[in-house]
Every structure is written in C-alpha cells, then in structure tokens.
Amino acid sequence: MLTNNKNVLKWVDEMVALCKPANVVWIDGSEEQLKALREEAVSTGEMEELNSEKLPGCLLHRTDPTDVARVEDRTFICSNTKENAGPTNNWKDPEEMWAILEPMYDGVMDGKTMYVIPYSMGPIGSKMSKVGVEVTDSIYVVLNMDIMTRMGKDAFVHLGDTSNDFVRGLHAKADLDPEKRYICHFPEKNSICSINSGYGGNVLLGKKCFALRIASYQGKNEGWMAEHMLILGIENPQGEVKYICAAFPSACGKTNLAMLIPPEIYAKQGYKVWTVGDDIAWLRQGDDGRLWAINPENGFFGVAPGTNLKSNPNALHTTEKDTIFTNVVHNLDNDTVWWEGLDKNPPKHALDWKGNPWDGTTSTEKGAHPNSRFTAPARNCPCISKEFNNPQGVPISAIVFGGRRAKTAPLVYQSFDWDHGVFVGSIMASETTAAAAGAVGVVRRDPMAMLPFCGYHMGDYFAHWLEMGKKLGDKAPKIFNVNWFRTDDEGHFIWPGFGDNMRVLMWILDRCEGKADAVETAIGYEPKPEDINLEGLNIDLDTLKDLLTVDPQLWKEDADGIEAFYAKFGDKLPAKLREELNSLKDRLSK
Ligand code: OXD
Ligand code: MN
C-alpha cells in the first residue's frame, strides 16, 4: 500500500470486494515496476516490442476490432437528476445505473490482477492539479496512464492522508461485449465506471472522463473551467511568449495547430511556437486577475493516420521513442509501424490493425484503423514549452474557437466582447465533408467542442462561462473564431492551413495587444485584409478578401439553425445568449 489515506483505502477495499481479483498491485510509478509490467504484457502477447534501434521503448497493441473508438451512445452522465445532465447527455439515475453495473463488476477480476493507479492531472503539487485513482485489470491501461498522467506514489503525497478530493475510476475489460459496454460518470460522487472496453478514450479514465466530464462539473462548482482546448505559446524575437487556448471539434487538427512550425517569414525573424497541450486545458483566474491555464495531461494520445513529416513533424518526432502504438500497421520487415498518410511507402510484408497479413502495395483495405493512435510522452516533443511543468500554468491572451465550415464562417473574426465571445463559442459547428463539388455537409453543432464532454447541463455551462467573464472583467482574454476550411466552388480548401495558420494567430495576438485595426461586421471584428501577412504565400489580397466575406443570407439561415439548437436548452439557456442571437439577427438584416 502506498498511502495511509483512509478514503482511498476504504474505496480500494470496496473495489477489491466487488471485483474479487486474485492479486492487487499498487502502482508506485517506479521504472522497475513499469519494466516488469512491460515484460509481462509482451510475454502474454498483449503488447509487442518494436525495433529497439528505430523505435526504442516503443510497444504495439491491438484492441478488439469492435472496440476502436469512444462510444457516445454508451456514455452516461448519472447525475442525481436528469435535469443536471441536461439535454445533450445520456442520463440514467445513479442507483438504477449501479444496479446494472454492480452485477457486471461482481467477480469480474476473478483470477486476474487489479492494478491500483494513483495519478495527478496537472503538475504534482500545483494548486490547479487534481488527483485520481483508477483501478483496472489491464496492463495496457497502466502503461498508457504512465504516459498520459503523472502516475505513481507522488500523486498520493499530493493528495495527503485525509483528503477525500480524488476521482475514483473503476475499469474492467470484462469480455469486451459491445452491448454491455458502459462509460458512466457520477459527478456528485466524483466517480467513473468503465466496463467492456479496452480502447483508450473509454479506459484511460484521467482523460476525457475525468479531465473533461467530471472536471467541468467540479470547475462549475469551484469557479474554474475544464475545456477541450489546446494551449500554445508564440515567442517573439525579443523572447516574450504569449499564450493562446483553442477549441475545435475532434478531427479539426488540434494536435497540428498545437505543434505548428512557423512559416519561413516568421522563423527567420526568430519567432518560435511552443506546445503546452494539444487536447485539454484547465483554466483558473490567477492572483493577478488574469486567466491562467495548465494542461492536465502528461502526454499526447494522438490520431496516427495523416500524421507525417509535412503535416506535423513535431508529433512524428515525439513518437520516435517510449511510445505505445494502438491499431496501426506492423511492418514485419523491420519491426516498425506504418499508417495511411505517413509516407508513400506502405510496407509489403506487414500485419494490418487486426493482425492479419497485409501487403500495402496491393491491398485495397486500410492497414491502420482510421482512429489508430500513438500515446507519446510530452517530454519527447521537440517544441514542448518550458512552462509545461510550471505549477502556475501560463497566462492566456486569447481564446480561439473554430470548426469546419465550407462557406459560412470567415477565416477569422473577433467577438465584440466576452459575452458575445461566449455566444460565438456556443454556436460552434462543423460540417460533415461532402464529396460533391461545392456541396455543403450536415451541420453538427458542438458548442466549445464540449458537446460529448460536458459533465452537466450545457445551459448551466454557458452560464458558467458568462460568470467567469464577470470575474475576469477587463483582464479576460479576447475571444476569436477561426475557420481553416473554407472551400472554393470546386470544393478545394482555399487557405493553406498547417504552419500558415500562424499568420492568423499573429493578427489575433496583435489585436490582443491593441496593435492591429479591425473592420466591424455583423458577426464581429474582422481583420483588414492587408493586416494578415501573406508574404511567401501563393494567395493574393482578393482571395483573402473572399476568405473574409460574410454572406448575410447564409448567416440568416445559420441563425435559424442556432435558434433550433438553442431551443433544446429551454429556460436553462442564459437570457444573455438569446439577446446575442437577436442582436446578430438585427445586425444581419441591416
Ligand atoms: C480525442 C477526441 O480523442 O476529441 O481527443 O475525440
Ligand atoms: Mn479531444
């Protein structure tokens, strides 16, 4: 046992009595213990060791083919009342849910080992960090949690001997039956139950389950925010760094933006970009009144396909050692890994993500699962910020929202003020990409990119954002919206994206420092086209003007969509947001 904390000991005893494992192993986080676990996982075939020269310390794992992604339809927020979970979450009464879960957990670890994992989300000892304890029957979970969190006995030291403020996570793989898969959150009880899955997002309980769903609820009660945001720093040639948080729905390139490589024009002047986080930010008001952020995670759980030397060299280099690959192609010739979009040389002699023989030169089937992943330590990242472990976090100058919109949203605009910025975040949306030329896909609203991750009523969540704005007053970060995905009539992206997105971030920072002008439009402040630096780009001013156009007709239709979406929240929708919608409509019809 690694702690004298009675609350922890009592809960672990209860879990042992329920799951009835043959052994209990407390994870201290020592290299010795981890080494033994890696060896055990390799000996049972749960993981495979990769080429020790090309990929030192790297392991490969395959999940069950029916267990490859987060399962929103099996994810529940079991608040005491349905009202508290709100209209955008699946809800079940906590007792009813426990009546379903308890028999499934009863004896589920028979003959197996239960691992007790203490971990800290955020730097150990930071006032912004929180402790969790996960019990699991999976070594894969232990080894991933080691990369994704600060795992081990120090987390218990941080918790102390008497505190009850830790998130309890119970995970059992059981028999992976998709029909009996449950990912359940009990916000009022600070606890999470996951069963019948072995896939990262469902079982690494520190990540989406704790750091977003439970933490968003804690943040509302305790006056801070847990957000689905990357954090990056831009250093100017004088060595000053300004930090930006950005929220995008899944699959809009958050990891790429977080690790962007400055275009030549900025690099040669001495600008640098530093990554603090690629997925989650915890934000609190600091003693100086400003908003400060930490990344509660300690690694990256990134999507492998599409990651390459052009799209994200920093991510690729991060995965060159001490990384766990899940559901990618295993190149048998040199014991390395491959995925679609890595390079143009798929291996001939390989196993696909299901472990079947695969020849990348002839196969029409994908070798890697589209949601195959790398779990890589943040310390490996060539552009990791030196503030990554700073217990104070970093001060945030700007908050950026974004989505994938073919026509509606311009390249960038700034909200009129904080409240309008909350409105802008609340109407975030992405379109499913349609193949037909110029066709616009289905709009999926995803406020602040938190739709699948908010652990309570989203109407209350919007109110909490408005409340935070009141507290921050004139020290609040400025709020912006970007859209890298405008397309031309043939459906091609107009803006080059990737590193060139920095050109837009530079305007954003100039606005924060009062250094750039703006044009007032119906939807917010837009840059003067000449204020976005296009040097070295194949884009002329007219194209940029196109990227900045706001089509009132499209926006009126969008406003109707927002109206319908807002209706879901009933009287929990803050009146302020309805006012913002009405003002938008007024401005559009002028
Ligand atoms: C993720 C997601 O895996 O947002 O980060 O889906
Ligand atoms: Mn995410």
Side-chain angles (χ1 to χ4, degrees):
M1 269 167 298
L2 294 172
T3 177
N4 293 320
N5 185 303
K6 290 205 177 49
N7 304 305
V8 173
L9 296 176
K10 177 167 174 285
W11 175 70
V12 173
D13 279 349
E14 285 165 16
M15 295 304 105
V16 171
L18 177 61
C19 302
K20 306 183 179 61
N23 308 300
V24 178
V25 171
W26 291 71
I27 299 297
D28 60 17
S30 65
E31 192 39 46
E32 201 186 346
Q33 190 185 44
L34 289 166
K35 185 165 172 284
L37 288 171
R38 282 183 205 113
E39 282 166 9
E40 187 179 336
V42 169
S43 75
T44 61
E46 185 179 351
M47 323 263 291
E48 285 169 73
E49 237 163 343
L50 294 163
N51 187 317
S52 62
E53 268 165 37
K54 292 189 187 328
L55 293 170
C58 293
L59 296 167
L60 172 67
H61 174 78
R62 290 185 204 98
T63 63
D64 187 90
T66 64
D67 185 26
V68 292
R70 288 188 290 101
V71 279
E72 287 176 23
D73 60 327
R74 314 286 319 169
T75 300
F76 290 82
I77 301 295
C78 305
S79 329
N80 288 341
T81 65
K82 186 169 173 21
E83 168 95 342
N84 287 350
T88 56
N89 284 311
N90 299 318
W91 174 82
K92 223 181 205 3
D93 173 79
E95 278 175 26
E96 266 175 55
M97 184 54 94
W98 188 241
I100 297 173
L101 294 174
E102 193 177 19
M104 293 205 284
Y105 283 114
D106 189 5
V108 73
M109 296 188 191
D110 182 30
K112 298 189 182 176
T113 299
M114 174 189 276
Y115 302 96
V116 182
I117 310 173
Y119 62 96
S120 170
M121 296 312 288
I124 298 265
S126 162
K127 279 198 287 197
M128 299 171 88
S129 300
K130 285 199 176 266
V131 170
V133 183
E134 175 167 355
V135 297
T136 177
D137 53 7
S138 156
I139 297 183
Y140 173 77
V141 168
V142 178
L143 297 179
N144 274 272
M145 288 292 281
D146 174 49
I147 298 172
M148 294 307 295
T149 73
R150 278 87 169 172
M151 180 184 87
K153 60 180 183 329
D154 290 351
F156 277 145
V157 176
H158 178 48
L159 180 67
D161 278 352
T162 54
S163 172
N164 197 22
D165 185 12
F166 67 96
V167 171
R168 295 137 169 85
L170 167 59
H171 166 247
K173 280 176 78 171
D175 52 14
L176 300 178
D177 182 349
E179 304 292 316
K180 294 193 186 140
R181 189 167 293 153
Y182 285 96
I183 319 298
C184 301
H185 307 71
F186 300 84
E188 290 98 347
K189 293 206 180 84
N190 246 1
S191 82
I192 305 159
C193 294
S194 162
I195 192 160
N196 277 307
S197 175
Y199 167 77
N202 300 327
V203 301
L204 307 178
L205 301 184
K207 192 175 177 63
K208 303 295 190 183
C209 299
F210 176 177
L212 288 175
R213 297 196 189 96
I214 297 286
S216 59
Y217 174 78
Q218 295 176 326
K220 181 199 61 154
N221 294 330
E222 298 167 9
W224 55 281
M225 305 158 97
E227 297 296 332
H228 192 196
M229 289 178 173
L230 65 90
I231 312 165
L232 67 77
I234 298 187
E235 179 175 336
N236 71 14
Q238 291 72 48
E240 292 155 352
V241 190
K242 295 272 188 277
Y243 296 90
I244 296 176
C245 279
F248 300 91
S250 305
C252 284
K254 276 209 342 263
T255 305
N256 293 351
L257 186 67
M259 299 183 186
L260 80 74
I261 305 266
E264 182 60 26
I265 133 113
Y266 292 114
K268 70 175 188 231
Q269 294 176 59
Y271 281 94
K272 297 191 178 98
V273 170
W274 302 107
T275 308
V276 182
D278 79 327
D279 197 38
I280 300 177
W282 283 2
L283 302 139
R284 248 178 222 270
Q285 187 172 30
D287 295 337
D288 63 358
R290 289 188 293 171
L291 190 64
W292 291 67
I294 59 163
N295 170 11
E297 303 192 276
N298 202 23
F300 307 112
F301 183 62
V303 176
T307 306
N308 59 50
L309 275 180
K310 184 166 173 281
S311 66
N312 196 337
N314 285 319
L316 203 59
H317 293 315
T318 307
T319 65
E320 283 164 356
K321 58 180 183 187
D322 304 331
T323 294
I324 297 173
F325 295 96
T326 304
N327 294 340
V328 298
V329 174
H330 187 183
N331 180 344
L332 296 172
D333 283 332
N334 59 6
D335 243 337
T336 59
V337 291
W338 191 85
W339 48 77
E340 278 68 23
L342 173 65
D343 56 36
K344 298 218 160 63
N345 306 307
K348 200 173 162 48
H349 181 216
L351 298 178
D352 69 7
W353 68 274
K354 292 182 186 160
N356 296 323
W358 187 79
D359 176 350
T361 62
T362 56
S363 179
T364 49
E365 300 268 304
K366 284 200 159 61
H369 188 275
N371 191 35
S372 55
R373 298 278 176 152
F374 55 80
T375 318
R379 63 168 186 276
N380 283 2
C381 179
C383 56
I384 196 73
S385 162
K386 56 181 184 310
E387 306 303 333
F388 177 73
N389 282 313
N390 188 334
Q392 315 293 331
V394 295
I396 299 303
S397 300
I399 290 176
V400 177
F401 295 122
R404 201 178 259 276
R405 303 300 303 261
K407 299 281 176 229
T408 321
L411 180 62
V412 58
Y413 66 99
Q414 181 186 356
S415 70
F416 294 119
D417 53 31
W418 179 275
D419 289 355
H420 178 237
V422 176
F423 170 74
V424 169
S426 78
I427 66 168
M428 255 174 73
S430 257
E431 284 150 18
T432 49
T433 42
V440 173
V442 181
V443 177
R444 186 186 191 245
R445 298 266 158 214
D446 187 356
M448 283 84 168
M450 281 291 277
L451 196 68
F453 305 117
C454 184
Y456 62 105
H457 197 299
M458 272 213 130
D460 291 335
Y461 169 80
F462 297 144
H464 181 48
W465 264 85
L466 293 168
E467 209 43 53
M468 287 296 294
K470 281 200 202 112
K471 270 201 328 202
L472 292 161
D474 61 4
K475 300 249 172 68
K478 306 275 185 279
I479 301 182
F480 298 80
N481 192 85
V482 298
N483 176 25
W484 317 131
F485 301 97
R486 278 276 269 255
T487 53
D488 62 19
D489 293 338
E490 277 82 50
H492 303 124
F493 294 124
I494 308 174
W495 180 249
F498 298 103
D500 289 311
N501 292 336
M502 180 161 170
R503 298 166 189 271
V504 174
L505 299 184
M506 292 302 286
W507 179 75
I508 287 176
L509 286 184
D510 281 348
R511 283 295 291 169
C512 294
E513 288 166 48
K515 287 193 203 148
D517 258 351
V519 185
E520 189 169 335
T521 74
I523 62 166
Y525 298 119
E526 286 205 347
K528 290 182 161 168
E530 58 275 19
D531 284 345
I532 301 271
N533 191 335
L534 295 179
E535 201 185 317
L537 260 195
N538 222 350
I539 284 194
D540 57 24
L541 216 53
D542 283 337
T543 310
L544 184 64
K545 281 182 191 155
D546 279 350
L547 280 166
L548 291 169
T549 52
V550 174
D551 179 334
Q553 195 44 43
L554 281 180
W555 272 88
K556 280 183 193 157
E557 284 162 25
D558 215 49
D560 292 340
I562 298 165
E563 183 96 56
F565 181 66
Y566 270 4
K568 278 189 184 200
F569 303 103
D571 54 14
K572 285 264 192 184
L573 184 82
K576 185 74 209 153
L577 293 189
R578 185 156 296 286
E579 268 169 44
E580 290 289 349
L581 176 58
N582 291 338
S583 313
L584 171 68
K585 286 186 181 166
D586 286 350
R587 290 192 302 268
L588 288 168
S589 48
K590 268 190 201 133

